[in-house]
Amino acid sequence: MLNLGILISGRGSNMESILKSIKKKKIPINAAVIISNKPDAKGLKIAEKLGVSIEVIESKGFKNRWEYDKKIISTLIKYGVTPKNGLVCLAGFMRIISPEFVKKYKNRIINIHPALLPSFPGLDSQKQALDYGAKYSGCTVHFVDAGMDTGPVIIQAIVKVKENDTVETLSKRILKEEHKIYPEAVNLFARKKIKVVGRRTIIS
Ligand code: GAR
């Protein structure tokens, strides 16, 4: 079975939705470790409650991004999340991954983003959608490449923007969809149903 490592920075609700699906035996993958760059991330308590190993790796003291990522990689490997037998999920992990990390785990790192990429990449995507006046937004699970929110798309879900939406109300409805599509994408990966062909993913 594949080993899963999830990287978080905060609330951890996407992590929770994935871990709960694994617990219910809906996804054939071993939840090996949760790593946070923030010691006070709420998600750490949730992971502990669900009986999954946790590690905190703060970024202070590392001289560059790759030095920090090397520490993440050695921790992942310690838990069996290897470039051959692992999957790494970014779930609200608010750091940019180095190109070296991406290369080492090619097509084995996935991310969730709260917009329909390539629209509204980066931070505050829900606010960007409202400010732009978009009628629809949503969320995207995608492979991570060396760019910012640019890797091949695995699954997207559409959310209609309402005229009276605020950042909070829109974020809430998008999050509900995130909690559906992220476990679904992990499940497809675990069952080896995703093939990457150029920029496209073929789901069998
Ligand atoms: C989620 O909405 C996720 O899509 C977003 O951060 C939130 C994390 O929530 N990620 C990004 O914006 C990445 N660019 P969570 O900690 O409850 O899963």
Side-chain angles (χ1 to χ4, degrees), residues 115-116 135-140 155-161 170 173-174 177-178 180-181:
L116 291 175
K135 297 290 185 191
Y136 291 90
S137 191
C139 45
T140 304
I155 308 181
Q156 293 186 303
I158 298 166
V159 172
K160 193 168 169 34
V161 180
L170 178 61
R173 290 204 312 287
I174 292 176
E177 296 304 313
E178 293 183 42
K180 292 182 200 159
I181 66 171

Side-chain angles (χ1 to χ4, degrees), residues 10-14 91-92 94 112-114 122 126 149 175 178:
R11 185 176 53 185
S13 70
N14 277 290
M94 292 312 191
I112 182 115
H113 183 77
Q126 301 94 335
D149 301 324
L175 192 64
E178 293 183 42

Side-chain angles (χ1 to χ4, degrees), residues 16 18 27 50 65 78 98 114 116 145 159 195 200:
E16 184 176 9
I18 295 167
I27 310 177
L50 292 170
R65 206 175 285 290
K78 184 172 112 185
S98 61
L116 291 175
D145 67 7
V159 172
K195 201 169 133 197
R200 294 187 176 192

